[in-house]
Amino acid sequence: MSDIVEKIAQLNAPQQQAVKTDSKHVVVLAGAGSGKTRVLTHRIAWLVETGQATPHGVMAVTFTNKAAREMKSRVEELLPHQPYGMWIGTFHGIAHRLLKAHWRAVNLPENFQVLDSDDQLRLVKRIIRELAVPDDLIDAKQMQWTINGYKDEGLRAQYVPETADVHLSWQRRIYVAYEALCFRSGLVDFGELLLRAHELWLNNPTVLAHYQQQFQHVLVDEFQDTNRIQYAWLRVLCGDTVGLTVVGDDDQSIYGWRGARVENIWQIQDDYPDTEMVKLEQNYRSTAVILKAANAVISNNSKRLGKDLWTEDDGGEPIRLYAAYNEQDEAGYIADSIESQLDGGVIASDVALLYRSNAQSRVLEEALIRGQIPYRIYGGVRFYERLEVRNVLAYLRLIANRNDDAAFERVINVPARGIGAKSVELLRSTARDEGCSLWDATLLLLQKGQLKGRAGGSAHAFQELIKSLDPQASESELTLSALCKVVIETTGLAQHFEKEGADKARSRLENMQEVVNASRNYEDVAGELTPLDAFLSEASLDAGEGQAAEHEDSVHLMTLHAAKGLEFDHVFIAGLEENLFPHRMSLDVREGVDEERRLCYVGITRAKKHLCLTYAESRRLYGNDNRNRPSRFIEEIPSELIEAVRPTLSVKPTFSSMGGRLAEPMPMAMGQAGFQLGSAVRHPIFGDGIILAAAGAGANTSVTVAFENEGTKELMLQYAKLTAI
DNA sequence: TCGAGATTCCTTTTT
DNA sequence: GGAATCTCGA
């Protein structure tokens, strides 16, 4: 007890207020770097230590598994004893846990599976096909998006209003069919987890009463990211008795496009008039310069709750701004900067390189590789979303649940075993007519002898294979990881991918091996679930960001979205151009630019010591060159905070001096030499430079190169010993 | 049924 | 520009 009091005494006044308040309902508006996680963890410890809540009576909700893990370990550090039974998890994880415990009450099969977005898309496509939707009226991706949108809003298919609009009514029909199919297959998508958990409360008063009794206090992190159904779920759970503390920052709301509602912050105050609001405005993370820039940018948004972040720090290096010729130059500059930072003793893992869209990462990666700088990309294609991994998991899912149609479809013909589109179509139509799963349809057709020849034999063999692997049906006493291994080998997946060519195959095999490794962690879990079920549900609810490589000393590359919640000494943000950041797509969405600006604010405030922004005057995107003006966000930063770094070039490249020429066809000889306009090159005497222009043809081809230290020179390609760098 | 060329798509995406 | 998906011929 005295321990936690001491720790809380080290917090600043508003933080202490937020931690110790007796108010039952608290909204903590916490600016970037103001210690919101600290407040949350300390409040949990305070509630427990003062006896206002038992560990069992605390629920803490986050959005990512990573955040949940982090919170758990930090709470454990604060408390003298291991807090047993505390509910710390993601919305989806907690919902999953509830549904597993009360599957009967929400009308789900005991072994229901979580459907990830790729499977979801497949199901949607299948339904669009089956319903024979008039050609191209409905796009599957968009339909998936629509369904998720409905679910985020808490809207089931039956409640979607019927309309005369052809498009909308088809959407409604597809949604209805999709729900039916999920139900039949025992599949639950991400939105469904929340929806069912909400219905669990609504339809089962005794269950709700039980949990309202159990929990004294619920705490929510990143509250600005909650959507309607998540709030509704919280609201019902908390009722009139359970305490609720939420922490959020309206300025860091960057998931509006996914249904997040900042308004939920107001909603609490409406629902609970006694709500106390605490603002945390002192920033402990960044230098004054960085903070001023962030404040200046975000002040251009009008709809704000209004916070003014301040810091005791009063200095800081200026923000560097580099205007690159093109994305190659930009990447080269960033790589060079990082290299010299590392030479100066900076640790690679204290450096982050952020960008707006994943497509930007390739060029940046290449530059880092050239500079031999260790890096690691966060996000991008997640581990459990990789093709080979998903195939292994699909086999496992089918072993766990024969009715998992999504898994069935994925692997029935992978590796190819002679059951092609025709046969699968037959299975589908039978399944539809009989209202059964694809697995049962296969059985039925085999019995009736309607699945003959090669397809029939393969289908039978396939079913036997799955059955033989099922630990429950056979006597095999395989451990989970051994089962994984067997699956990879006996199903032929390993050989299947080996055909792909050396490099790719190796990484595929490695990833599959990684599944085997990951499964080991579930072999001796205690609980109601079998190891297989535990592993599968975890796999679908966890992005699978490698835990092992976490602490490797490498530069972090990620999108701005992925960077939220993290902090780094040195931050680079690349691609500050109109149409890229703010993104083109945001420009015609209501309040789209505001959200982009918040994203920019998030990016800037990741930096503790030093921030570098870059933009390219010309950027090759999707195969053609684009010229965009520097991002408006740059102008919004007071110029006295910025130190502009131009490439060392005597003449500033303008459209007429350089861009005009960019549009001209490049002389053949240059391409043959492996160069293009904008290529970074090295000359034995003049040093490093960038090719600005080229003229002539064949042996007479000359290039204009801007050297870092020697100014701009025109060289004959034939004689100048230029090498690409 | 399979695999190679053709065509298409391309913002972010914690779950 | 590149992957991912689709289509068509063998």
Side-chain angles (χ1 to χ4, degrees), chain A residues 84-152:
Chain A
Y84 179 75
M86 202 175 273
W87 285 51
I88 300 183
T90 64
F91 274 104
H92 294 84
I94 288 173
H96 184 255
R97 177 172 173 181
L98 287 168
L99 298 185
K100 276 287 173 193
H102 302 283
W103 53 274
R104 228 186 282 271
V106 288
N107 198 18
L108 281 173
E110 187 174 7
N111 61 347
F112 71 87
Q113 292 292 319
V114 179
L115 192 66
D116 63 36
S117 55
D118 192 81
D119 285 331
Q120 184 185 33
L121 182 62
R122 280 164 182 273
L123 287 193
V124 171
K125 279 182 179 162
R126 177 175 154 194
I127 287 163
I128 290 177
R129 252 192 327 259
E130 285 182 0
L131 292 182
V133 180
D135 38 40
D136 293 344
L137 189 68
I138 303 282
D139 172 73
K141 266 252 174 63
Q142 206 179 315
M143 188 62 224
Q144 178 187 23
W145 182 264
T146 306
I147 290 175
N148 291 336
Y150 280 138
K151 293 199 174 187
D152 284 345

Side-chain angles (χ1 to χ4, degrees), chain A residues 418-440:
Chain A
I419 304 170
K422 255 284 182 40
S423 309
V424 174
E425 190 42 55
L426 177 64
L427 292 176
R428 279 205 207 99
S429 64
T430 309
R432 187 171 59 238
D433 295 345
E434 300 291 326
C436 67
S437 66
L438 290 170
W439 178 272
D440 290 337

Side-chain angles (χ1 to χ4, degrees), chain A residues 325 336 646-650 681-690 705-713 725:
Chain A
Y325 303 126
D336 288 349
R646 300 282 329 186
T648 37
L649 175 67
S650 46
V681 292
R682 177 164 295 159
H683 186 275
I685 295 158
F686 302 140
D688 298 350
I690 284 165
V705 181
F707 288 102
E708 261 173 32
N709 303 315
E710 302 289 336
T712 304
K713 299 204 187 300
I725 53 171

Side-chain angles (χ1 to χ4, degrees), chain A residues 417 465 468-469 483 485-495:
Chain A
R417 48 171 72 85
L465 173 68
S468 75
L469 292 169
L483 174 67
K485 214 167 168 178
V486 171
V487 163
I488 293 166
E489 283 155 10
T490 61
T491 58
L493 279 178
Q495 298 92 304

Side-chain angles (χ1 to χ4, degrees), chain A residues 178-194:
Chain A
Y178 170 80
E179 277 200 329
L181 179 58
C182 286
F183 183 74
R184 199 168 71 218
S185 318
L187 296 171
V188 170
D189 62 38
F190 292 134
E192 187 75 20
L193 284 170
L194 303 172

